Amino acid sequence: MASSPRKMAVTNAFSSCNTHEIGPVVPTTPLIKFLVRVQESALQTFGPKKFDPKLYVDLSLKFNLSKTESAFDELPRSVDGSISIKDLEGFIGTYFEGAGDDLGDANPPDFVPEPEGFMPAVENPTVRSWALEVHSLWKNLSKKVSGDVNERPDLHTLLPLPGSVIIPGSRFREVYYWDSYWVIRGLLASKMYDTAKGIVNNLISLIDKYGYVLNGARAYYTNRSQPPFLSSMISEIYKRTLDMEFAKSSLPALLKEYQFWNSDIHKVIIHDAQASSDHTLNRYCARWNKPRPEATTLDKHSASNISNDLERQKFYQEVASTAESGWDFSTRWMRNHSDFTTLSTTLILPVDLNVFLLKMELDITYLAKIVGDSKQAESFLKASKERKRAIDSVFWNAKMGQWLDYWLNDTTCLQYQTVEVSNQNQNVFASNFVPLWIESYYSDVSLVEKVMKCLESSGLVCRAGIATSLTRSGEQWDFPNGWAPLQHMIVEGLARSGIEEARSMAQEIAISWIRTNYSAYKKTGVMHEKYDVENCGQYGGGGKYAPQTGFGWSNGVVLSFLEEFGWPQELPIDCQ
């Protein structure tokens, strides 16, 4: 994987040579427009303290929209247009169901308090008892969409789904896309195979309706997706269950999702002049040019100093595209780390997204072989080889021993620009090591040894896990926060490499992550969405909303780590 300096011409799938043209925008609905008005009035009335804008777009109407909107318009207002606390509280109580009331508790039929064969390598009784407590949290997070959502979808932003769901927790009262992969990994450790399949079927229903898996199962998320993990979910479930019918019925949806991620808006073609070849790579790009409905008040505030309408629309697209990445928010996506309005996610070719798409190609190859579709298997094997060449050519930096995101030049025309390899982002992020997660890279012994040494000296590996970045920005996907998905991918890749030293490093990271989850749980009584990797037992902070609990992917990764590594009788679980 050479990293010698060279120039590459870039062709981008923009319909015009103007990078500020947004492209196709998914239309919003009258209900969402109205709920955004309520959200903005609520901020004016109640003030910013503990204000969560998402709450107001998650409310369900008791009456039709016309009647509700008329009543809202008739509320008395002061000279500045504000509504009194009494009047607004009265209106909300009269005309809305509570946020989350359109979800009821569900009882997963395959849940048992202690599954047969659960965690045989967890010998320490304290850890085993806690693992069973984490396992029991699937009951708390298991929900079913109310019948009224199906019967009266015009009253709800929650989308109907065919089966029961597992939500992340707290303010996240709906299914989320990439969260669901680690939920499923936890469910597989909990032997809850039918529940895991049900999650996949719910996500496939979104592909059937919208052409892709939405960021989350809400009407206001139809403008974007999230990191594509559906093929990984299906492959993992198949490997545990050998359910051929499940694999066969899932494959058409994967092909449809693959088309979405390789459609013009997400695709960039880079011509490598030195190798005389073209590389197709992908970026995040939401079809949106307004404040996100679930965060309208925040996004408008962020854009308050942008006077140009087109620039403001472009900023809103960048915010939504960053949400599509799952890393909302991080200095990884900013031109200027101290200026949130310099988000430029659509001008970045991310290492991890392209690795996820390589894994999708390999998963489809595997599943197509299983179901006997040799033509499809050959096609996707060819695509995977081409993408690996692209990843090696564009992202790999031999000197640094890691893969680096690639910045496109922000010029007036992207169609035939020449880009220097120096456009690699030299900053260190946990995502730079995500390629280790897939066999294409963890099977290369000399590569793993080099990358492992780089990870050890990177500054990312801390007392309580792997930090997301080295920048202390106050954004939640930056230092000192660590997130379960990134721990899991890097640890699993190291552990599967077959190198004893790499597995030992993986186990050390997993132990420190389990310990911080355990200690925070014992102090607070809950699992958390993120943790402070500098301080064992401390949950994470920062970002645009209060830290959340529950928590789907944290539960899943703890269970997955305990299943993989066990816990010896004599090993202490408390923070050391």
Side-chain angles (χ1 to χ4, degrees), residues 175-182 203 207 212-217 225-231 233 254 257 261 360:
V175 167
Y176 281 80
Y177 183 7
W178 77 315
D179 296 61
S180 295
Y181 173 72
W182 287 280
L203 299 182
I207 293 179
Y212 51 96
V213 184
L214 309 184
N215 181 148
S225 186
Q226 257 193 342
F229 275 85
L230 184 62
S231 71
M233 301 179 203
L254 286 182
E257 184 187 36
W261 279 103
M360 185 192 291

mmCIF file of all heavy atoms in Angstrom, residues 175-182 203 207 212-217 225-231 233 254 257 261 360:
data_model
loop_
_atom_site.group_PDB
_atom_site.id
_atom_site.type_symbol
_atom_site.label_atom_id
_atom_site.label_comp_id
_atom_site.label_asym_id
_atom_site.label_seq_id
_atom_site.Cartn_x
_atom_site.Cartn_y
_atom_site.Cartn_z
ATOM 1 N N VAL A 175 -36.308 3.445 16.991
ATOM 2 C CA VAL A 175 -35.202 2.636 16.489
ATOM 3 C C VAL A 175 -34.189 3.532 15.787
ATOM 4 O O VAL A 175 -34.556 4.453 15.060
ATOM 5 C CB VAL A 175 -35.739 1.592 15.485
ATOM 6 C CG1 VAL A 175 -34.605 0.951 14.704
ATOM 7 C CG2 VAL A 175 -36.544 0.536 16.209
ATOM 8 N N TYR A 176 -32.898 3.264 16.009
ATOM 9 C CA TYR A 176 -31.827 3.936 15.267
ATOM 10 C C TYR A 176 -31.044 2.902 14.477
ATOM 11 O O TYR A 176 -30.921 1.749 14.888
ATOM 12 C CB TYR A 176 -30.909 4.715 16.214
ATOM 13 C CG TYR A 176 -31.544 6.029 16.606
ATOM 14 C CD1 TYR A 176 -32.511 6.071 17.606
ATOM 15 C CD2 TYR A 176 -31.254 7.200 15.931
ATOM 16 C CE1 TYR A 176 -33.143 7.251 17.934
ATOM 17 C CE2 TYR A 176 -31.884 8.395 16.256
ATOM 18 C CZ TYR A 176 -32.822 8.411 17.254
ATOM 19 O OH TYR A 176 -33.469 9.578 17.561
ATOM 20 N N TYR A 177 -30.512 3.359 13.339
ATOM 21 C CA TYR A 177 -29.907 2.412 12.400
ATOM 22 C C TYR A 177 -28.646 1.762 12.942
ATOM 23 O O TYR A 177 -28.634 0.587 13.291
ATOM 24 C CB TYR A 177 -29.641 3.102 11.062
ATOM 25 C CG TYR A 177 -29.077 2.184 9.990
ATOM 26 C CD1 TYR A 177 -28.959 0.802 10.180
ATOM 27 C CD2 TYR A 177 -28.660 2.702 8.763
ATOM 28 C CE1 TYR A 177 -28.446 -0.022 9.198
ATOM 29 C CE2 TYR A 177 -28.150 1.878 7.769
ATOM 30 C CZ TYR A 177 -28.034 0.522 7.996
ATOM 31 O OH TYR A 177 -27.529 -0.290 7.012
ATOM 32 N N TRP A 178 -27.550 2.527 13.065
ATOM 33 C CA TRP A 178 -26.299 1.832 13.371
ATOM 34 C C TRP A 178 -26.242 1.353 14.814
ATOM 35 O O TRP A 178 -25.577 0.361 15.108
ATOM 36 C CB TRP A 178 -25.087 2.629 12.940
ATOM 37 C CG TRP A 178 -24.604 3.799 13.746
ATOM 38 C CD1 TRP A 178 -25.351 4.790 14.290
ATOM 39 C CD2 TRP A 178 -23.229 4.115 14.036
ATOM 40 N NE1 TRP A 178 -24.530 5.717 14.915
ATOM 41 C CE2 TRP A 178 -23.229 5.330 14.765
ATOM 42 C CE3 TRP A 178 -22.016 3.510 13.743
ATOM 43 C CZ2 TRP A 178 -22.053 5.933 15.220
ATOM 44 C CZ3 TRP A 178 -20.845 4.109 14.192
ATOM 45 C CH2 TRP A 178 -20.875 5.303 14.924
ATOM 46 N N ASP A 179 -26.995 2.007 15.712
ATOM 47 C CA ASP A 179 -27.124 1.485 17.086
ATOM 48 C C ASP A 179 -27.542 0.016 17.070
ATOM 49 O O ASP A 179 -27.117 -0.781 17.917
ATOM 50 C CB ASP A 179 -28.184 2.262 17.863
ATOM 51 C CG ASP A 179 -27.845 3.717 18.062
ATOM 52 O OD1 ASP A 179 -27.698 4.449 17.053
ATOM 53 O OD2 ASP A 179 -27.733 4.146 19.215
ATOM 54 N N SER A 180 -28.435 -0.311 16.116
ATOM 55 C CA SER A 180 -29.062 -1.635 16.109
ATOM 56 C C SER A 180 -28.058 -2.764 15.895
ATOM 57 O O SER A 180 -28.289 -3.893 16.330
ATOM 58 C CB SER A 180 -30.151 -1.694 15.035
ATOM 59 O OG SER A 180 -31.201 -0.803 15.341
ATOM 60 N N TYR A 181 -26.924 -2.478 15.235
ATOM 61 C CA TYR A 181 -25.928 -3.539 15.048
ATOM 62 C C TYR A 181 -25.402 -4.015 16.392
ATOM 63 O O TYR A 181 -25.303 -5.228 16.654
ATOM 64 C CB TYR A 181 -24.771 -3.066 14.163
ATOM 65 C CG TYR A 181 -23.658 -4.091 14.109
ATOM 66 C CD1 TYR A 181 -23.826 -5.275 13.393
ATOM 67 C CD2 TYR A 181 -22.471 -3.911 14.812
ATOM 68 C CE1 TYR A 181 -22.827 -6.244 13.370
ATOM 69 C CE2 TYR A 181 -21.467 -4.865 14.796
ATOM 70 C CZ TYR A 181 -21.650 -6.035 14.066
ATOM 71 O OH TYR A 181 -20.669 -6.995 14.062
ATOM 72 N N TRP A 182 -25.048 -3.083 17.283
ATOM 73 C CA TRP A 182 -24.477 -3.496 18.584
ATOM 74 C C TRP A 182 -25.554 -4.001 19.527
ATOM 75 O O TRP A 182 -25.285 -4.838 20.379
ATOM 76 C CB TRP A 182 -23.647 -2.351 19.161
ATOM 77 C CG TRP A 182 -22.388 -2.242 18.365
ATOM 78 C CD1 TRP A 182 -21.269 -3.022 18.484
ATOM 79 C CD2 TRP A 182 -22.144 -1.367 17.261
ATOM 80 N NE1 TRP A 182 -20.336 -2.671 17.529
ATOM 81 C CE2 TRP A 182 -20.839 -1.657 16.764
ATOM 82 C CE3 TRP A 182 -22.884 -0.358 16.641
ATOM 83 C CZ2 TRP A 182 -20.284 -0.972 15.685
ATOM 84 C CZ3 TRP A 182 -22.326 0.330 15.569
ATOM 85 C CH2 TRP A 182 -21.035 0.013 15.094
ATOM 86 N N LEU A 203 -35.889 -2.883 9.927
ATOM 87 C CA LEU A 203 -35.043 -2.028 9.097
ATOM 88 C C LEU A 203 -35.294 -2.291 7.612
ATOM 89 O O LEU A 203 -35.299 -1.363 6.794
ATOM 90 C CB LEU A 203 -33.570 -2.246 9.447
ATOM 91 C CG LEU A 203 -33.171 -1.926 10.896
ATOM 92 C CD1 LEU A 203 -31.679 -2.139 11.102
ATOM 93 C CD2 LEU A 203 -33.569 -0.508 11.296
ATOM 94 N N ILE A 207 -36.355 0.110 4.171
ATOM 95 C CA ILE A 207 -35.790 0.050 2.808
ATOM 96 C C ILE A 207 -36.905 -0.147 1.790
ATOM 97 O O ILE A 207 -36.926 0.502 0.731
ATOM 98 C CB ILE A 207 -34.747 -1.080 2.696
ATOM 99 C CG1 ILE A 207 -33.526 -0.762 3.558
ATOM 100 C CG2 ILE A 207 -34.331 -1.295 1.242
ATOM 101 C CD1 ILE A 207 -32.447 -1.825 3.540
ATOM 102 N N TYR A 212 -33.908 3.035 1.566
ATOM 103 C CA TYR A 212 -32.729 2.948 2.420
ATOM 104 C C TYR A 212 -33.183 2.911 3.871
ATOM 105 O O TYR A 212 -34.331 3.212 4.182
ATOM 106 C CB TYR A 212 -31.776 4.128 2.200
ATOM 107 C CG TYR A 212 -32.422 5.503 2.264
ATOM 108 C CD1 TYR A 212 -32.406 6.258 3.426
ATOM 109 C CD2 TYR A 212 -33.036 6.044 1.131
ATOM 110 C CE1 TYR A 212 -32.983 7.514 3.474
ATOM 111 C CE2 TYR A 212 -33.622 7.310 1.169
ATOM 112 C CZ TYR A 212 -33.591 8.035 2.346
ATOM 113 O OH TYR A 212 -34.186 9.275 2.394
ATOM 114 N N VAL A 213 -32.272 2.529 4.759
ATOM 115 C CA VAL A 213 -32.579 2.544 6.187
ATOM 116 C C VAL A 213 -32.421 3.985 6.671
ATOM 117 O O VAL A 213 -31.388 4.610 6.463
ATOM 118 C CB VAL A 213 -31.652 1.617 6.987
ATOM 119 C CG1 VAL A 213 -32.080 1.600 8.452
ATOM 120 C CG2 VAL A 213 -31.662 0.206 6.423
ATOM 121 N N LEU A 214 -33.453 4.503 7.304
ATOM 122 C CA LEU A 214 -33.382 5.867 7.800
ATOM 123 C C LEU A 214 -32.458 5.957 9.015
ATOM 124 O O LEU A 214 -32.205 4.967 9.702
ATOM 125 C CB LEU A 214 -34.782 6.351 8.214
ATOM 126 C CG LEU A 214 -35.922 6.192 7.200
ATOM 127 C CD1 LEU A 214 -37.195 6.818 7.761
ATOM 128 C CD2 LEU A 214 -35.566 6.787 5.862
ATOM 129 N N ASN A 215 -31.990 7.167 9.281
ATOM 130 C CA ASN A 215 -31.237 7.471 10.502
ATOM 131 C C ASN A 215 -31.971 6.884 11.718
ATOM 132 O O ASN A 215 -31.375 6.251 12.584
ATOM 133 C CB ASN A 215 -31.109 8.986 10.598
ATOM 134 C CG ASN A 215 -30.328 9.491 11.788
ATOM 135 O OD1 ASN A 215 -29.674 10.513 11.717
ATOM 136 N ND2 ASN A 215 -30.402 8.817 12.925
ATOM 137 N N GLY A 216 -33.266 7.085 11.782
ATOM 138 C CA GLY A 216 -34.110 6.546 12.844
ATOM 139 C C GLY A 216 -35.539 6.468 12.337
ATOM 140 O O GLY A 216 -35.886 7.061 11.306
ATOM 141 N N ALA A 217 -36.377 5.765 13.074
ATOM 142 C CA ALA A 217 -37.746 5.506 12.606
ATOM 143 C C ALA A 217 -38.689 6.659 12.968
ATOM 144 O O ALA A 217 -39.679 6.489 13.688
ATOM 145 C CB ALA A 217 -38.254 4.191 13.173
ATOM 146 N N SER A 225 -29.572 8.706 6.061
ATOM 147 C CA SER A 225 -29.399 7.381 6.642
ATOM 148 C C SER A 225 -28.424 7.493 7.810
ATOM 149 O O SER A 225 -28.323 8.553 8.448
ATOM 150 C CB SER A 225 -28.896 6.410 5.569
ATOM 151 O OG SER A 225 -28.840 5.091 6.066
ATOM 152 N N GLN A 226 -27.745 6.410 8.107
ATOM 153 C CA GLN A 226 -26.677 6.352 9.108
ATOM 154 C C GLN A 226 -25.674 5.307 8.633
ATOM 155 O O GLN A 226 -25.936 4.610 7.643
ATOM 156 C CB GLN A 226 -27.244 5.989 10.498
ATOM 157 C CG GLN A 226 -27.362 7.161 11.444
ATOM 158 C CD GLN A 226 -27.626 6.743 12.881
ATOM 159 O OE1 GLN A 226 -28.053 5.625 13.173
ATOM 160 N NE2 GLN A 226 -27.385 7.653 13.809
ATOM 161 N N PRO A 227 -24.504 5.189 9.289
ATOM 162 C CA PRO A 227 -23.521 4.220 8.805
ATOM 163 C C PRO A 227 -24.145 2.865 8.499
ATOM 164 O O PRO A 227 -24.900 2.320 9.312
ATOM 165 C CB PRO A 227 -22.530 4.141 9.981
ATOM 166 C CG PRO A 227 -22.562 5.520 10.568
ATOM 167 C CD PRO A 227 -24.009 5.938 10.465
ATOM 168 N N PRO A 228 -23.848 2.315 7.312
ATOM 169 C CA PRO A 228 -24.559 1.120 6.821
ATOM 170 C C PRO A 228 -24.068 -0.186 7.433
ATOM 171 O O PRO A 228 -23.036 -0.721 7.046
ATOM 172 C CB PRO A 228 -24.286 1.162 5.307
ATOM 173 C CG PRO A 228 -23.007 1.920 5.157
ATOM 174 C CD PRO A 228 -22.957 2.899 6.291
ATOM 175 N N PHE A 229 -24.843 -0.709 8.367
ATOM 176 C CA PHE A 229 -24.469 -1.926 9.085
ATOM 177 C C PHE A 229 -25.454 -3.078 8.878
ATOM 178 O O PHE A 229 -25.328 -4.111 9.519
ATOM 179 C CB PHE A 229 -24.356 -1.627 10.586
ATOM 180 C CG PHE A 229 -23.020 -1.083 10.987
ATOM 181 C CD1 PHE A 229 -22.743 0.262 10.883
ATOM 182 C CD2 PHE A 229 -22.026 -1.925 11.448
ATOM 183 C CE1 PHE A 229 -21.509 0.775 11.242
ATOM 184 C CE2 PHE A 229 -20.783 -1.429 11.811
ATOM 185 C CZ PHE A 229 -20.524 -0.074 11.710
ATOM 186 N N LEU A 230 -26.431 -2.914 7.993
ATOM 187 C CA LEU A 230 -27.453 -3.949 7.856
ATOM 188 C C LEU A 230 -26.849 -5.277 7.417
ATOM 189 O O LEU A 230 -27.211 -6.333 7.935
ATOM 190 C CB LEU A 230 -28.530 -3.499 6.867
ATOM 191 C CG LEU A 230 -29.720 -4.452 6.707
ATOM 192 C CD1 LEU A 230 -30.478 -4.612 8.017
ATOM 193 C CD2 LEU A 230 -30.670 -3.963 5.609
ATOM 194 N N SER A 231 -25.917 -5.242 6.478
ATOM 195 C CA SER A 231 -25.316 -6.499 6.010
ATOM 196 C C SER A 231 -24.564 -7.197 7.138
ATOM 197 O O SER A 231 -24.568 -8.433 7.228
ATOM 198 C CB SER A 231 -24.382 -6.239 4.824
ATOM 199 O OG SER A 231 -23.204 -5.556 5.237
ATOM 200 N N MET A 233 -25.359 -7.007 10.324
ATOM 201 C CA MET A 233 -26.386 -7.591 11.198
ATOM 202 C C MET A 233 -26.842 -8.939 10.649
ATOM 203 O O MET A 233 -26.928 -9.936 11.381
ATOM 204 C CB MET A 233 -27.589 -6.652 11.295
ATOM 205 C CG MET A 233 -27.307 -5.270 11.834
ATOM 206 S SD MET A 233 -28.822 -4.260 11.858
ATOM 207 C CE MET A 233 -28.132 -2.594 11.822
ATOM 208 N N LEU A 254 -30.623 -5.716 0.857
ATOM 209 C CA LEU A 254 -29.223 -5.302 0.867
ATOM 210 C C LEU A 254 -28.803 -4.751 -0.491
ATOM 211 O O LEU A 254 -28.066 -3.764 -0.579
ATOM 212 C CB LEU A 254 -28.312 -6.477 1.241
ATOM 213 C CG LEU A 254 -28.308 -6.912 2.698
ATOM 214 C CD1 LEU A 254 -27.314 -8.051 2.897
ATOM 215 C CD2 LEU A 254 -27.977 -5.755 3.626
ATOM 216 N N GLU A 257 -30.177 -1.295 -0.708
ATOM 217 C CA GLU A 257 -29.421 -0.347 0.108
ATOM 218 C C GLU A 257 -28.077 -0.025 -0.540
ATOM 219 O O GLU A 257 -27.614 1.122 -0.512
ATOM 220 C CB GLU A 257 -29.190 -0.902 1.522
ATOM 221 C CG GLU A 257 -28.484 0.137 2.397
ATOM 222 C CD GLU A 257 -28.067 -0.364 3.766
ATOM 223 O OE1 GLU A 257 -27.668 -1.528 3.898
ATOM 224 O OE2 GLU A 257 -28.128 0.447 4.707
ATOM 225 N N TRP A 261 -26.374 3.780 -1.425
ATOM 226 C CA TRP A 261 -25.074 4.313 -1.019
ATOM 227 C C TRP A 261 -24.164 4.582 -2.208
ATOM 228 O O TRP A 261 -23.198 5.331 -2.104
ATOM 229 C CB TRP A 261 -24.404 3.370 -0.012
ATOM 230 C CG TRP A 261 -24.956 3.580 1.362
ATOM 231 C CD1 TRP A 261 -25.854 2.788 2.023
ATOM 232 C CD2 TRP A 261 -24.698 4.685 2.223
ATOM 233 N NE1 TRP A 261 -26.160 3.330 3.243
ATOM 234 C CE2 TRP A 261 -25.465 4.497 3.397
ATOM 235 C CE3 TRP A 261 -23.893 5.815 2.126
ATOM 236 C CZ2 TRP A 261 -25.444 5.394 4.452
ATOM 237 C CZ3 TRP A 261 -23.861 6.723 3.176
ATOM 238 C CH2 TRP A 261 -24.628 6.507 4.326
ATOM 239 N N MET A 360 -19.894 -4.373 3.404
ATOM 240 C CA MET A 360 -21.185 -4.683 2.789
ATOM 241 C C MET A 360 -20.973 -5.526 1.527
ATOM 242 O O MET A 360 -21.683 -6.510 1.291
ATOM 243 C CB MET A 360 -21.952 -3.405 2.447
ATOM 244 C CG MET A 360 -23.355 -3.667 1.918
ATOM 245 S SD MET A 360 -24.162 -2.219 1.189
ATOM 246 C CE MET A 360 -24.437 -1.216 2.629
#
